[in-house]
Amino acid sequence: MVDPSSAAAVPPAGSRATGEPLVVLDGVNKHFGALHVLQDIDLTVHRGEVVVVIGPSGSGKSTLCRTINRLETIDSGTITIDGKPLPAEGKALARLRADVGMVFQSFNLFAHKTVLENVMLGPVKAKGVKRGEAKQQALALLERVGVANQADKLPAQLSGGQQQRVAIARALAMSPKVMLFDEPTSALDPEMINEVLDVMVSLAQDGMTMIVVTHEMGFARRAAHRVVFMDAGRVVEEAEPETFFTAPRSDRAQDFLSKILTH
Amino acid sequence: MSSVLYDVPGPVARRRERIGSVIGAVVVLVLVGLAARYAADRGIFAADRWNVLYDPPKGQTAADVWQSMIVRGLGATLRAAVVAAPLALALGLLLALWRTARGRWVRLPAIMLIELFRGLPVLLMMLFGLLGFGWDAFTAVVFGLVVYNMAIIAEILRAGLASLPRGQAEAAYAVGLTRSQTLLTILLPQAVRTMLPSLIAQLVVLLKDSSLGFIVGYPELLKSIQNNAQYFGNETYIALFVVGAGIYLAVNLSLTRLAVWLERRTGRTSAPTPGPTAGTTDAVGSARVGGTFGTGTDR
Amino acid sequence: MDVIPDNLPAYLGGFRTTLSLTVVSGLIALAVGVLLAGLRVSPLTPLRALATTYVEVLRNTPLTLVFFFMAFVAPQFGLLAPLGYWTAVICLSAYTAAFVCEAVRSGINSVGMGQSEAARAIGLTFGQTLGLVVLPQAVRSVIPPLINVLIALAKNTSVAAGFAVVELTASGRRLALSNPADTLWALAGVALFYLLITIPAGLLAGVVERKVAFAR
């Protein structure tokens, strides 16, 4: 997919140390019926840090990502964002979510609204930004992700890659403190993956705090400060990308990497 | 659980839901209580309104009453339905096949037949049989049920065929099957299986429509209720009606449950894949909506 | 064959009654059905149960039975519903409301989970998610099935013919009986008038459905 040889695009390590903790998961547990999908998860993400979560399907990585803005609830443990505990409901939760951008696997653009309206909706309705101002900002963001010429189309008229870039612009329009990416390229045709990853890499370069659940090892090498490997609901291993990909410590990570890197 | 409408509730939302549920339950119970008292005040629960079911007056036995309702009434209802259903299925199948014919002009009569019978009330069709062709009531009822339901069944099967992935037909042609072989051995069986829930839902509609026989003078279940009530006195209407309504509900709800169960089962085994085939799943979805609402609504 | 032009006033009278039954019952059924749908998707169990029971019972009951109840059984309760136009309106709207409810409910459920998740994720509240994202999309997918429900209602008004309402079918029956030589033509005239309602409405439903499908 992404050529790992272009790894030097971002100076990875180093910049992380400067940020204070932004997202903190402490002893998080979650069950789906009898299935223990998250088991005692402790994870701290610092301001400006890019964390890539990888692992086999069913390892709980997507669920983990979705708990951070409470699209999934947790059974025990705490989640803290920018020093404040994650609210359980109501206006407080809506305000928190406005500060946490999310990009979904299936884009989830509002099907009845144009690209421009998709990006403007959050700022206008959730933040009370004036329409004119929101429109300028939305157009600038669409320009930045390279789909400004599609602004007046409906999502269904766009390719998958374009839709996902609009979804990123929609999340960015809220000026979030952190961006969550839940397998953002898994539903894309191969030739469209890079156009989305390129946007994500440039975001990382700009210092956005990102938590990215993905199968794109190239992205992890290129942009991540840290790789978190999950299996069977647990965080099995955390390391800098170079270390993780060249010398994984755990058997499960070695096994996982051997399966995906042999082709 | 979260849903399209509701986020996973937090503690405040859960408390509100609990309080709301209690208030709602009280309101519902009070309404039921008021209705019951209203009924009781009018002597609805008096024995002489109900004894027709267990100890009827006028020297009749309970067995006579039940026999007239179940054997003759329900029997006649089911007879009309059982004769009409296979005919409607067979003719509907033929129409559906005709409708897939290649030439536009060959197809046209099938389309016109379907649109014509779909757009007319079943009762009018029955009157055509009874007055227009001078048939007896039973034949007229069966005629009305058959022509209407065959049109709907043809539409259901067409939707089923349209919902199949294009690859099914292509694969069949690729292994050398002819057009008709493909249709009969590959596409149609799958369409029938996909649409089985809608077809069963349509049987419920057919059974319900057989009650129109009451209006054209076919002595079915409703007529037997009326006959009994007129013989034993109008005060027995309630008891007899409760039995009749109970029978309809029991039969129809079982069929509906069967359809829902089948829908879940087939839904699970042929789970549509996301992505490029989304268009096809939409077709299935709307076809099902068409099947259960468009047609299911037709009584 | 001349039976149709000769009796045009009788047909038109019946047609007018059929139209009026359809429109009045349709409006009431829409209002009640939407209310029922609101209850059916409510998080409050007793209200949900109430609406579900109503819908399940009415959907599995023949419309004739509903008319039968109002005409013969309800008077035993002291509910003296005189046979006629308004009895028919009550029966037709009570029956159709159940189908409206199901159409609306399935329209709401047809909106993808991802749509409301995305709305919540950008910080919209419950009311905003409902009003800006879920309902506008639900309305689109609900219109074609609703048109079908109303087409069925138009045809269902014929049941009133069996209960002393002189609408289109009853007018046709009268004409058929009084013109024994021309019964088929008399009834064909009735059919014509029904098709005047059902075929354009059906085409409309098709057009709307295709438009909605493209917008996805």
Side-chain angles (χ1 to χ4, degrees), chain A residues 22-26 78-86:
Chain A
L22 184 62
V23 177
V24 180
L25 283 78
D26 186 19
T78 58
I79 298 176
T80 317
I81 293 165
D82 207 7
K84 289 194 280 281
L86 181 62

Side-chain angles (χ1 to χ4, degrees), chain B residues 95 98-101 103-118 151 155 158, chain C residues 199:
Chain B
L95 265 183
W98 187 1
R99 207 186 178 305
T100 62
R104 172 190 273 247
W105 295 106
V106 185
R107 248 189 345 243
L108 194 65
I111 296 175
M112 283 173 62
L113 272 179
I114 292 173
E115 291 305 321
L116 176 71
F117 289 131
R118 230 160 56 115
E155 275 301 283
R158 187 180 71 93
Chain C
I199 289 196

